[in-house]
Amino acid sequence: MGVDYYNILKVNRNASDEDLKKAYRRLAMIWHPDKNPTSNKQEAEAKFKSISEAYDVLSDPQKRQIYDLYGEEALKSGQVPPPPRGAGPYSYRAHQQHPNPSFRFNPRDADDIYAELFGNESVGAGSTGSGRNAGRDSNGYYFRSTTMGAGGSGGEFSGGAGTSGSGGLRKAPAVERSLMCSLEELYKGAKKKMRISRITMDGPGFRTVEEILTIDIKPGWKKGTKITFPEKGNEENGIIPADLIFVIDEKPHSDYKRDGNDLIVNVEITLLEALTGKTLEFTTLDGRNLMVPLTEIVKPGYELVVPHEGMPISKDPRKKGNLRVRIDVKYPPRLSETQKNELKRVLGSSS
């Protein structure tokens, strides 16, 4: 078969003319060379040419029939391949019968196909509706008059050698949305599913579709981390859809506060515990019980560092930051004379 035109357009073999148009529109919006003016331009030109050729063949009943029967090589050469080895005389005659012996393959120009499908759409106010507003201008651009949303303007260029804002397809500004995550989710990692509603092109019109996007939260991701879904914004004529960007934000935690890769927890102990010692107990973000002994005399503002009990480091989740325990000493509101004398006796003798 050679080139698989159906696969190029991402359609099945029973695709209707409308299916082919929808597939071509969607792919042409992605791979038109003017949408890829720099490093991706060579690949885009090749893909755009391939998409256009596939549409040209499959949208033409005669070309499609020959392609379906004999494949790409026979379509372009006009030569029907020999029958399979072992085929009988009847099979041989049937196999050799060309649907149209006078047919000669004549491919259409990719820009002409683009202009036909994008340029002859229903135009904005003041048009005749005949499609005559569309076509090449004096600089070789394809021009179509369109009606835009609020704040937009008609007359978007597409095709040609223009760049964004000067004749090429213009990309809509990125849309950012906050994605709230608990500290536990950022510690262990999580999958979040986000339902979005967007406007897509449906032939000459538009329709609203819903999609579920899956976001794979990696252990150790920080506030401000961005996850981009390219071109998941609304579709408009002559506009490349916006990227949809989710920005990680942290929900406040009841016990822990994050500082880079470290976790901070505040603990209050009594004066007696500060002097005589205590074992602190914590529940970690992954559900473990962590015992931290205090063996030294603790002063107000003391910070105890527990290595490797902080947040995972996103580049290497096997490594972690530290847990920093900030300790405040709670003093008694008052002491009796007896308590004061006893403290003087004990502390005074130790000085």
Side-chain angles (χ1 to χ4, degrees):
M1 178 69 73
V3 174
D4 188 342
Y5 291 130
Y6 292 98
N7 186 54
I8 290 173
L9 286 183
K10 311 298 183 188
V11 296
N12 62 44
R13 292 189 166 272
N14 297 320
S16 66
D17 288 345
E18 192 60 34
D19 294 333
L20 296 173
K21 287 180 181 179
K22 289 179 183 178
Y24 174 85
R25 288 174 185 270
R26 177 173 55 82
L27 293 170
M29 287 285 284
I30 296 172
W31 291 109
H32 194 284
D34 283 345
K35 179 185 174 296
N36 303 269
T38 54
S39 60
N40 203 34
K41 189 174 181 66
Q42 188 172 358
E43 179 188 4
E45 287 175 345
K47 284 188 176 290
F48 180 65
K49 182 178 179 181
S50 176
I51 292 160
S52 300
E53 182 176 299
Y55 178 78
D56 174 37
V57 171
L58 298 182
S59 63
D60 184 305
Q62 188 169 224
K63 293 177 183 177
R64 184 171 179 174
Q65 181 188 22
I66 297 170
Y67 171 73
D68 285 344
L69 285 172
Y70 305 118
E72 177 208 7
E73 185 177 347
L75 172 71
K76 293 181 177 179
S77 68
Q79 299 297 315
V80 174
R85 181 175 296 178
Y90 177 79
S91 300
Y92 182 84
R93 287 193 301 271
H95 193 78
Q96 287 296 298
Q97 184 178 359
H98 196 293
N100 184 357
S102 64
F103 172 83
R104 294 294 180 268
F105 181 68
N106 183 26
R108 297 175 60 198
D109 183 78
D111 287 337
D112 289 342
I113 295 173
Y114 186 87
E116 177 185 312
L117 269 77
F118 282 92
N120 293 334
E121 294 178 4
S122 175
V123 294
S127 75
T128 63
S130 64
R132 301 307 298 171
N133 296 45
R136 292 183 191 267
D137 71 359
S138 58
N139 296 315
Y141 296 110
Y142 281 107
F143 180 85
R144 64 183 176 281
S145 178
T146 60
T147 53
M148 308 288 290
S153 59
E156 291 296 318
F157 286 103
S158 62
T163 58
S164 177
S166 62
L169 287 174
R170 178 168 62 86
K171 186 164 186 173
V175 178
E176 292 193 358
R177 292 289 181 266
S178 178
L179 179 62
M180 298 299 295
C181 298
S182 67
L183 209 49
E184 286 85 355
E185 289 172 329
L186 296 175
Y187 183 94
K188 295 183 290 185
K191 287 188 184 294
K192 285 184 172 287
K193 293 187 181 296
M194 308 295 293
R195 184 187 298 274
I196 65 168
S197 179
R198 57 194 292 258
I199 297 172
T200 61
M201 295 179 65
D202 185 10
F206 297 89
R207 65 189 179 101
T208 301
V209 298
E210 288 192 346
E211 276 188 68
I212 303 294
L213 303 180
T214 300
I215 302 174
D216 192 8
I217 307 297
K218 303 296 184 184
W221 274 4
K222 297 178 181 178
K223 179 177 180 177
T225 299
K226 294 184 177 182
I227 308 99
T228 302
F229 289 88
E231 300 177 13
K232 286 295 183 181
N234 292 332
E235 294 182 359
E236 293 184 72
N237 290 329
I239 303 294
I240 302 168
D243 293 343
L244 180 57
I245 302 174
F246 290 96
V247 184
I248 297 292
D249 200 358
E250 286 182 12
K251 297 178 184 177
H253 196 274
S254 58
D255 297 322
Y256 296 102
K257 181 179 179 181
R258 185 174 186 174
D259 182 15
N261 293 318
D262 291 348
L263 287 172
I264 299 172
V265 61
N266 295 308
V267 175
E268 186 178 70
I269 61 175
T270 66
L271 178 58
L272 177 62
E273 292 167 337
L275 296 173
T276 62
K278 176 181 175 65
T279 298
L280 305 175
E281 185 174 350
F282 305 100
T283 300
T284 63
L285 292 174
D286 56 353
R288 293 175 291 114
N289 289 326
L290 180 65
M291 312 296 284
V292 180
L294 289 175
T295 57
E296 299 179 356
I297 293 177
V298 176
K299 300 176 182 179
Y302 180 88
E303 183 175 281
L304 176 66
V305 177
V306 184
H308 315 305
E309 286 293 348
M311 294 293 293
I313 297 172
S314 58
K315 292 182 179 178
D316 186 358
R318 295 171 298 178
K319 299 179 180 179
K320 295 179 181 177
N322 299 323
L323 173 63
R324 290 152 49 191
V325 184
R326 292 179 176 174
I327 300 175
D328 190 22
V329 178
K330 182 180 180 181
Y331 286 79
R334 64 183 64 84
L335 293 172
S336 66
E337 287 301 318
T338 302
Q339 289 172 322
K340 290 178 183 178
N341 291 331
E342 188 64 21
L343 284 173
K344 288 176 183 179
R345 183 185 70 78
V346 174
L347 297 177
S349 63
S350 64
S351 61

